mmCIF file of all heavy atoms in Angstrom:
data_model
loop_
_atom_site.group_PDB
_atom_site.id
_atom_site.type_symbol
_atom_site.label_atom_id
_atom_site.label_comp_id
_atom_site.label_asym_id
_atom_site.label_seq_id
_atom_site.Cartn_x
_atom_site.Cartn_y
_atom_site.Cartn_z
ATOM 1 N N PHE A 1 18.225 159.906 75.556
ATOM 2 C CA PHE A 1 18.148 158.447 75.130
ATOM 3 C C PHE A 1 19.001 157.773 76.072
ATOM 4 O O PHE A 1 20.150 157.997 76.252
ATOM 5 C CB PHE A 1 18.758 158.238 73.741
ATOM 6 C CG PHE A 1 18.146 157.155 73.052
ATOM 7 C CD1 PHE A 1 17.571 157.160 71.775
ATOM 8 C CD2 PHE A 1 18.314 155.787 73.554
ATOM 9 C CE1 PHE A 1 17.104 156.006 71.098
ATOM 10 C CE2 PHE A 1 17.843 154.654 72.820
ATOM 11 C CZ PHE A 1 17.234 154.890 71.604
ATOM 12 N N VAL A 2 18.377 156.716 76.743
ATOM 13 C CA VAL A 2 19.158 155.789 77.729
ATOM 14 C C VAL A 2 19.080 154.408 77.239
ATOM 15 O O VAL A 2 17.984 153.892 76.779
ATOM 16 C CB VAL A 2 18.428 155.847 79.167
ATOM 17 C CG1 VAL A 2 19.234 154.920 80.037
ATOM 18 C CG2 VAL A 2 18.604 157.383 79.665
ATOM 19 N N VAL A 3 20.207 153.781 77.266
ATOM 20 C CA VAL A 3 20.242 152.316 76.833
ATOM 21 C C VAL A 3 21.071 151.641 78.038
ATOM 22 O O VAL A 3 22.031 152.056 78.500
ATOM 23 C CB VAL A 3 21.153 152.230 75.483
ATOM 24 C CG1 VAL A 3 21.130 150.760 75.096
ATOM 25 C CG2 VAL A 3 20.377 153.042 74.433
ATOM 26 N N SER A 4 20.531 150.325 78.279
ATOM 27 C CA SER A 4 21.271 149.473 79.242
ATOM 28 C C SER A 4 21.154 148.048 78.695
ATOM 29 O O SER A 4 20.240 147.744 77.895
ATOM 30 C CB SER A 4 20.802 149.634 80.623
ATOM 31 O OG SER A 4 19.342 149.153 80.633
ATOM 32 N N THR A 5 22.018 147.196 79.037
ATOM 33 C CA THR A 5 22.040 145.843 78.640
ATOM 34 C C THR A 5 21.584 144.905 79.722
ATOM 35 O O THR A 5 21.908 145.239 80.927
ATOM 36 C CB THR A 5 23.246 145.395 78.024
ATOM 37 O OG1 THR A 5 24.301 145.580 79.092
ATOM 38 C CG2 THR A 5 23.677 146.185 76.869
ATOM 39 N N ASP A 6 21.024 143.712 79.461
ATOM 40 C CA ASP A 6 20.733 142.812 80.509
ATOM 41 C C ASP A 6 21.717 141.635 80.358
ATOM 42 O O ASP A 6 22.637 141.674 79.505
ATOM 43 C CB ASP A 6 19.236 142.308 80.435
ATOM 44 C CG ASP A 6 18.895 141.693 78.978
ATOM 45 O OD1 ASP A 6 19.855 141.278 78.297
ATOM 46 O OD2 ASP A 6 17.659 141.709 78.690
ATOM 47 N N THR A 7 21.429 140.613 81.023
ATOM 48 C CA THR A 7 22.401 139.429 81.205
ATOM 49 C C THR A 7 22.484 138.710 79.783
ATOM 50 O O THR A 7 23.312 137.876 79.538
ATOM 51 C CB THR A 7 21.831 138.374 82.307
ATOM 52 O OG1 THR A 7 20.523 138.074 82.098
ATOM 53 C CG2 THR A 7 22.189 139.155 83.555
ATOM 54 N N LEU A 8 21.284 138.897 78.904
ATOM 55 C CA LEU A 8 21.381 138.198 77.523
ATOM 56 C C LEU A 8 21.704 139.288 76.433
ATOM 57 O O LEU A 8 21.464 138.912 75.338
ATOM 58 C CB LEU A 8 19.898 137.737 77.459
ATOM 59 C CG LEU A 8 19.418 136.655 78.351
ATOM 60 C CD1 LEU A 8 18.056 136.181 77.953
ATOM 61 C CD2 LEU A 8 20.309 135.468 78.326
ATOM 62 N N SER A 9 22.282 140.418 76.826
ATOM 63 C CA SER A 9 22.693 141.353 75.985
ATOM 64 C C SER A 9 21.719 141.976 75.119
ATOM 65 O O SER A 9 21.854 142.502 73.987
ATOM 66 C CB SER A 9 23.831 140.755 74.959
ATOM 67 O OG SER A 9 25.008 140.280 75.601
ATOM 68 N N ASN A 10 20.473 141.964 75.661
ATOM 69 C CA ASN A 10 19.386 142.682 75.061
ATOM 70 C C ASN A 10 19.538 144.219 75.493
ATOM 71 O O ASN A 10 20.103 144.569 76.582
ATOM 72 C CB ASN A 10 17.946 142.227 75.665
ATOM 73 C CG ASN A 10 17.756 140.759 75.223
ATOM 74 O OD1 ASN A 10 17.776 140.414 73.999
ATOM 75 N ND2 ASN A 10 17.443 140.029 76.249
ATOM 76 N N PHE A 11 19.041 145.121 74.559
ATOM 77 C CA PHE A 11 19.151 146.502 74.678
ATOM 78 C C PHE A 11 17.866 147.052 75.395
ATOM 79 O O PHE A 11 16.889 147.228 74.504
ATOM 80 C CB PHE A 11 19.630 147.239 73.663
ATOM 81 C CG PHE A 11 20.992 146.910 73.080
ATOM 82 C CD1 PHE A 11 21.213 146.113 71.874
ATOM 83 C CD2 PHE A 11 22.118 147.316 73.773
ATOM 84 C CE1 PHE A 11 22.448 145.812 71.452
ATOM 85 C CE2 PHE A 11 23.325 147.010 73.447
ATOM 86 C CZ PHE A 11 23.533 146.259 72.250
ATOM 87 N N ASN A 12 17.776 147.360 76.623
ATOM 88 C CA ASN A 12 16.582 148.109 77.224
ATOM 89 C C ASN A 12 16.859 149.672 76.835
ATOM 90 O O ASN A 12 17.789 150.136 77.061
ATOM 91 C CB ASN A 12 16.487 147.865 78.624
ATOM 92 C CG ASN A 12 16.254 146.408 79.007
ATOM 93 O OD1 ASN A 12 15.249 145.720 78.472
ATOM 94 N ND2 ASN A 12 16.926 145.805 80.017
ATOM 95 N N GLN A 13 15.730 150.196 76.322
ATOM 96 C CA GLN A 13 15.948 151.435 75.824
ATOM 97 C C GLN A 13 14.832 152.463 76.214
ATOM 98 O O GLN A 13 13.678 152.046 76.423
ATOM 99 C CB GLN A 13 15.903 151.521 74.232
ATOM 100 C CG GLN A 13 16.926 150.686 73.593
ATOM 101 C CD GLN A 13 16.586 150.130 72.292
ATOM 102 O OE1 GLN A 13 16.301 150.945 71.346
ATOM 103 N NE2 GLN A 13 16.550 148.900 72.121
ATOM 104 N N ILE A 14 15.123 153.689 76.621
ATOM 105 C CA ILE A 14 14.194 154.735 76.939
ATOM 106 C C ILE A 14 14.559 156.020 76.317
ATOM 107 O O ILE A 14 15.715 156.366 76.304
ATOM 108 C CB ILE A 14 14.130 154.957 78.538
ATOM 109 C CG1 ILE A 14 13.727 153.658 79.225
ATOM 110 C CG2 ILE A 14 13.163 156.000 78.907
ATOM 111 C CD1 ILE A 14 13.942 153.742 80.857
ATOM 112 N N LYS A 15 13.617 156.665 75.686
ATOM 113 C CA LYS A 15 13.949 157.907 75.088
ATOM 114 C C LYS A 15 12.804 158.930 75.322
ATOM 115 O O LYS A 15 11.661 158.475 75.595
ATOM 116 C CB LYS A 15 14.179 157.775 73.463
ATOM 117 C CG LYS A 15 12.955 157.289 72.692
ATOM 118 C CD LYS A 15 13.304 157.274 71.346
ATOM 119 C CE LYS A 15 13.459 158.539 70.622
ATOM 120 N NZ LYS A 15 13.559 158.480 69.035
ATOM 121 N N GLY A 16 12.972 160.225 75.145
ATOM 122 C CA GLY A 16 12.049 161.208 75.452
ATOM 123 C C GLY A 16 12.687 162.604 75.187
ATOM 124 O O GLY A 16 13.741 162.798 74.743
ATOM 125 N N ARG A 17 11.857 163.543 75.385
ATOM 126 C CA ARG A 17 12.313 165.032 75.126
ATOM 127 C C ARG A 17 13.411 165.369 76.218
ATOM 128 O O ARG A 17 14.510 165.618 75.820
ATOM 129 C CB ARG A 17 11.150 165.996 75.248
ATOM 130 C CG ARG A 17 11.580 167.445 74.772
ATOM 131 C CD ARG A 17 10.507 168.415 74.880
ATOM 132 N NE ARG A 17 9.835 168.541 76.155
ATOM 133 C CZ ARG A 17 8.673 168.052 76.564
ATOM 134 N NH1 ARG A 17 7.860 167.599 75.621
ATOM 135 N NH2 ARG A 17 8.274 168.299 77.680
ATOM 136 N N ASP A 18 13.044 165.293 77.434
ATOM 137 C CA ASP A 18 14.002 165.661 78.517
ATOM 138 C C ASP A 18 13.943 164.567 79.515
ATOM 139 O O ASP A 18 12.934 163.747 79.694
ATOM 140 C CB ASP A 18 13.554 166.959 79.163
ATOM 141 C CG ASP A 18 13.520 168.112 78.234
ATOM 142 O OD1 ASP A 18 14.394 168.092 77.302
ATOM 143 O OD2 ASP A 18 12.685 168.984 78.439
ATOM 144 N N MET A 19 15.068 164.495 80.318
ATOM 145 C CA MET A 19 15.187 163.315 81.238
ATOM 146 C C MET A 19 15.892 163.800 82.488
ATOM 147 O O MET A 19 16.786 164.599 82.446
ATOM 148 C CB MET A 19 15.937 162.211 80.698
ATOM 149 C CG MET A 19 16.023 160.953 81.388
ATOM 150 S SD MET A 19 17.029 159.662 80.396
ATOM 151 C CE MET A 19 16.080 159.522 79.069
ATOM 152 N N GLU A 20 15.474 163.286 83.701
ATOM 153 C CA GLU A 20 16.296 163.507 84.925
ATOM 154 C C GLU A 20 16.551 162.136 85.474
ATOM 155 O O GLU A 20 15.752 161.326 85.534
ATOM 156 C CB GLU A 20 15.215 164.033 85.945
ATOM 157 C CG GLU A 20 14.865 165.644 85.535
ATOM 158 C CD GLU A 20 13.854 166.154 86.513
ATOM 159 O OE1 GLU A 20 12.785 165.456 86.849
ATOM 160 O OE2 GLU A 20 13.927 167.260 86.954
ATOM 161 N N ALA A 21 17.799 162.131 85.943
ATOM 162 C CA ALA A 21 18.214 160.884 86.613
ATOM 163 C C ALA A 21 18.773 161.185 88.016
ATOM 164 O O ALA A 21 19.551 162.203 88.081
ATOM 165 C CB ALA A 21 19.381 160.196 85.765
ATOM 166 N N PHE A 22 18.304 160.450 88.982
ATOM 167 C CA PHE A 22 18.682 160.787 90.413
ATOM 168 C C PHE A 22 19.569 159.636 90.849
ATOM 169 O O PHE A 22 19.231 158.423 90.645
ATOM 170 C CB PHE A 22 17.300 160.937 91.324
ATOM 171 C CG PHE A 22 16.539 162.022 90.972
ATOM 172 C CD1 PHE A 22 15.551 162.001 89.947
ATOM 173 C CD2 PHE A 22 16.785 163.383 91.461
ATOM 174 C CE1 PHE A 22 14.792 163.075 89.687
ATOM 175 C CE2 PHE A 22 16.012 164.392 91.126
ATOM 176 C CZ PHE A 22 15.054 164.267 90.279
ATOM 177 N N PHE A 23 20.501 160.014 91.815
ATOM 178 C CA PHE A 23 21.476 159.021 92.264
ATOM 179 C C PHE A 23 21.362 159.050 93.837
ATOM 180 O O PHE A 23 21.202 160.134 94.454
ATOM 181 C CB PHE A 23 22.808 159.312 91.830
ATOM 182 C CG PHE A 23 23.003 159.169 90.299
ATOM 183 C CD1 PHE A 23 22.478 160.060 89.416
ATOM 184 C CD2 PHE A 23 23.548 158.012 89.811
ATOM 185 C CE1 PHE A 23 22.678 159.955 88.085
ATOM 186 C CE2 PHE A 23 23.621 157.819 88.439
ATOM 187 C CZ PHE A 23 23.258 158.747 87.493
ATOM 188 N N ASN A 24 21.705 157.971 94.419
ATOM 189 C CA ASN A 24 21.777 157.952 95.893
ATOM 190 C C ASN A 24 23.119 157.208 96.206
ATOM 191 O O ASN A 24 23.204 155.964 95.861
ATOM 192 C CB ASN A 24 20.607 157.033 96.514
ATOM 193 C CG ASN A 24 20.611 156.980 97.939
ATOM 194 O OD1 ASN A 24 21.181 157.773 98.657
ATOM 195 N ND2 ASN A 24 19.798 156.047 98.448
ATOM 196 N N GLU A 25 23.951 157.886 96.837
ATOM 197 C CA GLU A 25 25.268 157.473 97.161
ATOM 198 C C GLU A 25 26.048 156.911 96.032
ATOM 199 O O GLU A 25 26.700 155.851 96.145
ATOM 200 C CB GLU A 25 25.223 156.403 98.367
ATOM 201 C CG GLU A 25 24.704 156.980 99.777
ATOM 202 C CD GLU A 25 24.725 155.979 100.691
ATOM 203 O OE1 GLU A 25 25.055 154.754 100.562
ATOM 204 O OE2 GLU A 25 24.379 156.246 101.983
ATOM 205 N N GLY A 26 25.882 157.590 94.952
ATOM 206 C CA GLY A 26 26.602 157.239 93.709
ATOM 207 C C GLY A 26 25.861 156.062 92.925
ATOM 208 O O GLY A 26 26.175 155.952 91.695
ATOM 209 N N ASN A 27 24.749 155.597 93.369
ATOM 210 C CA ASN A 27 23.931 154.515 92.605
ATOM 211 C C ASN A 27 22.761 155.185 92.077
ATOM 212 O O ASN A 27 22.009 156.046 92.653
ATOM 213 C CB ASN A 27 23.671 153.428 93.540
ATOM 214 C CG ASN A 27 24.815 152.652 94.065
ATOM 215 O OD1 ASN A 27 25.749 152.354 93.209
ATOM 216 N ND2 ASN A 27 24.776 152.238 95.227
ATOM 217 N N ILE A 28 22.374 154.820 90.842
ATOM 218 C CA ILE A 28 21.301 155.352 90.124
ATOM 219 C C ILE A 28 19.944 154.916 90.816
ATOM 220 O O ILE A 28 19.816 153.618 91.183
ATOM 221 C CB ILE A 28 21.215 155.062 88.747
ATOM 222 C CG1 ILE A 28 20.025 155.804 87.981
ATOM 223 C CG2 ILE A 28 21.155 153.540 88.362
ATOM 224 C CD1 ILE A 28 20.144 155.762 86.398
ATOM 225 N N SER A 29 19.019 155.747 91.185
ATOM 226 C CA SER A 29 17.835 155.335 91.880
ATOM 227 C C SER A 29 16.613 155.382 91.150
ATOM 228 O O SER A 29 15.650 154.635 91.247
ATOM 229 C CB SER A 29 17.621 156.315 93.129
ATOM 230 O OG SER A 29 17.578 157.674 92.943
ATOM 231 N N ASN A 30 16.401 156.521 90.338
ATOM 232 C CA ASN A 30 15.243 156.611 89.430
ATOM 233 C C ASN A 30 15.515 157.561 88.198
ATOM 234 O O ASN A 30 16.390 158.478 88.383
ATOM 235 C CB ASN A 30 14.018 156.978 90.234
ATOM 236 C CG ASN A 30 14.153 158.334 90.828
ATOM 237 O OD1 ASN A 30 14.803 158.538 91.777
ATOM 238 N ND2 ASN A 30 13.362 159.423 90.331
ATOM 239 N N ILE A 31 14.735 157.301 87.205
ATOM 240 C CA ILE A 31 14.956 158.258 86.067
ATOM 241 C C ILE A 31 13.512 158.700 85.571
ATOM 242 O O ILE A 31 12.557 157.831 85.575
ATOM 243 C CB ILE A 31 15.488 157.482 84.793
ATOM 244 C CG1 ILE A 31 16.837 157.122 85.022
ATOM 245 C CG2 ILE A 31 15.558 158.339 83.469
ATOM 246 C CD1 ILE A 31 17.595 156.251 84.048
ATOM 247 N N ASN A 32 13.304 160.029 85.393
ATOM 248 C CA ASN A 32 12.032 160.584 85.003
ATOM 249 C C ASN A 32 12.215 161.029 83.574
ATOM 250 O O ASN A 32 13.052 161.956 83.271
ATOM 251 C CB ASN A 32 11.568 161.722 85.925
ATOM 252 C CG ASN A 32 11.468 161.255 87.354
ATOM 253 O OD1 ASN A 32 11.104 160.104 87.665
ATOM 254 N ND2 ASN A 32 11.595 162.056 88.318
ATOM 255 N N VAL A 33 11.316 160.670 82.639
ATOM 256 C CA VAL A 33 11.230 161.161 81.411
ATOM 257 C C VAL A 33 10.097 162.020 81.056
ATOM 258 O O VAL A 33 9.038 161.637 81.466
ATOM 259 C CB VAL A 33 11.228 159.940 80.272
ATOM 260 C CG1 VAL A 33 11.259 160.391 78.817
ATOM 261 C CG2 VAL A 33 12.510 159.041 80.511
ATOM 262 N N HIS A 34 10.368 163.148 80.521
ATOM 263 C CA HIS A 34 9.226 164.124 80.383
ATOM 264 C C HIS A 34 9.102 164.488 78.819
ATOM 265 O O HIS A 34 9.970 165.096 78.107
ATOM 266 C CB HIS A 34 9.569 165.484 81.166
ATOM 267 C CG HIS A 34 9.732 165.170 82.598
ATOM 268 N ND1 HIS A 34 8.724 164.898 83.405
ATOM 269 C CD2 HIS A 34 10.889 165.362 83.330
ATOM 270 C CE1 HIS A 34 9.184 164.737 84.709
ATOM 271 N NE2 HIS A 34 10.512 165.004 84.617
ATOM 272 N N GLY A 35 7.927 164.064 78.278
ATOM 273 C CA GLY A 35 7.558 164.415 76.940
ATOM 274 C C GLY A 35 8.112 163.323 75.906
ATOM 275 O O GLY A 35 9.224 162.945 75.972
ATOM 276 N N ASN A 36 7.093 162.881 75.061
ATOM 277 C CA ASN A 36 7.466 162.076 73.897
ATOM 278 C C ASN A 36 8.127 160.750 74.279
ATOM 279 O O ASN A 36 9.209 160.177 73.749
ATOM 280 C CB ASN A 36 8.300 162.649 72.860
ATOM 281 C CG ASN A 36 7.732 163.963 72.405
ATOM 282 O OD1 ASN A 36 6.523 164.072 72.159
ATOM 283 N ND2 ASN A 36 8.481 165.125 72.215
ATOM 284 N N GLY A 37 7.616 160.132 75.414
ATOM 285 C CA GLY A 37 8.345 158.989 75.987
ATOM 286 C C GLY A 37 8.194 157.772 75.114
ATOM 287 O O GLY A 37 7.075 157.543 74.645
ATOM 288 N N GLU A 38 9.235 157.023 74.912
ATOM 289 C CA GLU A 38 9.120 155.744 74.270
ATOM 290 C C GLU A 38 10.116 154.810 75.039
ATOM 291 O O GLU A 38 11.041 155.197 75.580
ATOM 292 C CB GLU A 38 9.686 155.760 72.807
ATOM 293 C CG GLU A 38 8.886 156.634 71.935
ATOM 294 C CD GLU A 38 9.444 156.607 70.439
ATOM 295 O OE1 GLU A 38 9.530 155.481 69.890
ATOM 296 O OE2 GLU A 38 9.816 157.756 69.869
ATOM 297 N N SER A 39 9.721 153.433 74.994
ATOM 298 C CA SER A 39 10.604 152.485 75.663
ATOM 299 C C SER A 39 10.524 151.195 75.020
ATOM 300 O O SER A 39 9.508 150.820 74.473
ATOM 301 C CB SER A 39 10.320 152.378 77.138
ATOM 302 O OG SER A 39 9.163 151.540 77.305
ATOM 303 N N ILE A 40 11.676 150.446 75.082
ATOM 304 C CA ILE A 40 11.615 148.984 74.750
ATOM 305 C C ILE A 40 12.216 148.406 75.935
ATOM 306 O O ILE A 40 13.405 148.779 76.418
ATOM 307 C CB ILE A 40 12.488 148.704 73.577
ATOM 308 C CG1 ILE A 40 11.692 149.183 72.344
ATOM 309 C CG2 ILE A 40 12.798 147.184 73.369
ATOM 310 C CD1 ILE A 40 12.545 149.044 70.946
ATOM 311 N N TYR A 41 11.603 147.267 76.486
ATOM 312 C CA TYR A 41 12.101 146.561 77.662
ATOM 313 C C TYR A 41 11.793 145.087 77.555
ATOM 314 O O TYR A 41 10.753 144.661 77.022
ATOM 315 C CB TYR A 41 11.300 147.206 78.978
ATOM 316 C CG TYR A 41 11.550 146.439 80.267
ATOM 317 C CD1 TYR A 41 12.815 146.358 80.729
ATOM 318 C CD2 TYR A 41 10.594 145.723 80.827
ATOM 319 C CE1 TYR A 41 13.210 145.678 81.880
ATOM 320 C CE2 TYR A 41 10.745 145.094 82.045
ATOM 321 C CZ TYR A 41 12.057 145.017 82.601
ATOM 322 O OH TYR A 41 12.471 144.259 83.671
ATOM 323 N N PHE A 42 12.959 144.328 77.929
ATOM 324 C CA PHE A 42 12.903 142.851 77.827
ATOM 325 C C PHE A 42 12.747 142.339 79.285
ATOM 326 O O PHE A 42 13.685 142.202 79.871
ATOM 327 C CB PHE A 42 14.056 142.404 77.160
ATOM 328 C CG PHE A 42 14.296 142.829 75.662
ATOM 329 C CD1 PHE A 42 14.912 144.056 75.409
ATOM 330 C CD2 PHE A 42 13.841 142.050 74.722
ATOM 331 C CE1 PHE A 42 14.974 144.317 74.058
ATOM 332 C CE2 PHE A 42 13.998 142.358 73.330
ATOM 333 C CZ PHE A 42 14.598 143.508 72.981
ATOM 334 N N PRO A 43 11.610 141.946 79.685
ATOM 335 C CA PRO A 43 11.429 141.313 80.955
ATOM 336 C C PRO A 43 12.010 139.886 80.835
ATOM 337 O O PRO A 43 11.779 139.184 79.828
ATOM 338 C CB PRO A 43 9.942 141.304 81.261
ATOM 339 C CG PRO A 43 9.327 141.600 80.008
ATOM 340 C CD PRO A 43 10.173 142.286 79.082
ATOM 341 N N LEU A 44 12.725 139.499 81.845
ATOM 342 C CA LEU A 44 13.379 138.170 81.893
ATOM 343 C C LEU A 44 12.722 137.261 82.981
ATOM 344 O O LEU A 44 12.336 137.783 84.099
ATOM 345 C CB LEU A 44 14.888 138.306 82.144
ATOM 346 C CG LEU A 44 15.623 139.180 81.090
ATOM 347 C CD1 LEU A 44 17.182 139.174 81.560
ATOM 348 C CD2 LEU A 44 15.487 138.708 79.646
ATOM 349 N N GLN A 45 12.905 135.984 82.705
ATOM 350 C CA GLN A 45 12.585 135.020 83.708
ATOM 351 C C GLN A 45 13.870 134.544 84.237
ATOM 352 O O GLN A 45 14.732 133.897 83.531
ATOM 353 C CB GLN A 45 11.797 133.752 83.217
ATOM 354 C CG GLN A 45 11.441 132.821 84.316
ATOM 355 C CD GLN A 45 10.560 131.759 83.697
ATOM 356 O OE1 GLN A 45 10.096 131.769 82.503
ATOM 357 N NE2 GLN A 45 10.365 130.639 84.401
ATOM 358 N N GLY A 46 14.301 134.859 85.464
ATOM 359 C CA GLY A 46 15.621 134.671 85.987
ATOM 360 C C GLY A 46 16.540 135.591 85.181
ATOM 361 O O GLY A 46 16.322 136.699 84.826
ATOM 362 N N ASP A 47 17.723 134.987 84.876
ATOM 363 C CA ASP A 47 18.655 135.792 84.035
ATOM 364 C C ASP A 47 18.923 135.216 82.646
ATOM 365 O O ASP A 47 19.912 135.667 81.978
ATOM 366 C CB ASP A 47 20.073 135.794 84.823
ATOM 367 C CG ASP A 47 19.954 136.530 86.108
ATOM 368 O OD1 ASP A 47 19.205 137.535 86.188
ATOM 369 O OD2 ASP A 47 20.743 136.182 86.955
ATOM 370 N N SER A 48 18.101 134.180 82.321
ATOM 371 C CA SER A 48 18.549 133.519 80.997
ATOM 372 C C SER A 48 17.383 133.257 79.999
ATOM 373 O O SER A 48 17.612 132.755 79.017
ATOM 374 C CB SER A 48 19.047 132.212 81.397
ATOM 375 O OG SER A 48 18.096 131.373 82.239
#
C-alpha cells in the first residue's frame, strides 16, 4: 500500500498484492504493482 499527498492534502493511494519501486540517484522513478491493483488519484489543475 502506497500513500502520498498533494498540495491540497489529498491522499493519492495505490495498493496491490506485490510492489516494486525503483529509484534513480536516490529519487523515486517508477512503481510497479503486480496483482489486485487498486488506486485513488486526484488530478489537479495547477496546484490548487
Side-chain angles (χ1 to χ4, degrees):
F1 204 126
V2 176
V3 181
S4 62
T5 59
D6 60 23
T7 55
L8 297 180
S9 298
N10 297 306
F11 294 108
N12 295 312
Q13 303 154 57
I14 300 170
K15 65 179 293 188
R17 186 180 63 245
D18 301 324
M19 187 180 301
E20 298 173 310
F22 296 88
F23 295 78
N24 182 19
E25 295 184 355
N27 296 317
I28 190 166
S29 60
N30 62 289
I31 296 176
N32 301 332
V33 179
H34 303 291
N36 304 323
E38 296 182 58
S39 77
I40 289 178
Y41 174 60
F42 294 86
L44 301 180
Q45 182 178 350
D47 293 331
S48 59

